Amino acid sequence: SSVSGAFSGNQENYGVHIVAALERTGLGLTEFCAVHGLNARTIYRWRQGDFAAPQMRLVIKVAKALGVSHDVLHAALEQARA
């Protein structure tokens, strides 16, 4: 499937896509965040559908860690917040 298709849909589906992207890394949430210097609470909130105005630098960092386009990830977060 395409990267853009991987992050489409409503908030509930978005959380599922975050979980799937994390699973593709082969790491658990805590380990993934430790390896990539991310805050586990932020990723957990995104998985749960809580998308309070993410900062672009964080979106870029998470997208890079997940191996997806930051433009697609940011657009999906904004769409899910709408």
Side-chain angles (χ1 to χ4, degrees):
S1 71
S2 71
V3 171
S4 60
F7 287 95
S8 61
N10 61 28
Q11 286 183 345
E12 180 179 318
N13 289 339
Y14 188 78
V16 169
H17 295 308
I18 288 283
V19 170
L22 281 169
E23 287 176 355
R24 284 192 301 272
T25 69
L27 303 173
L29 175 63
T30 304
E31 186 179 10
F32 172 82
C33 291
V35 166
H36 295 287
L38 299 167
N39 183 318
R41 283 183 285 172
T42 298
I43 305 305
Y44 177 80
R45 285 193 342 261
W46 288 7
R47 284 182 10 187
Q48 301 305 310
D50 179 3
F51 307 109
Q55 296 176 346
M56 189 52 129
R57 66 178 175 75
L58 179 59
V59 172
I60 292 169
K61 191 172 188 178
V62 172
K64 183 176 179 182
L66 291 173
V68 300
S69 162
H70 70 273
D71 292 330
V72 170
L73 181 58
H74 187 259
L77 286 168
E78 289 299 316
Q79 180 182 10
R81 288 180 62 224

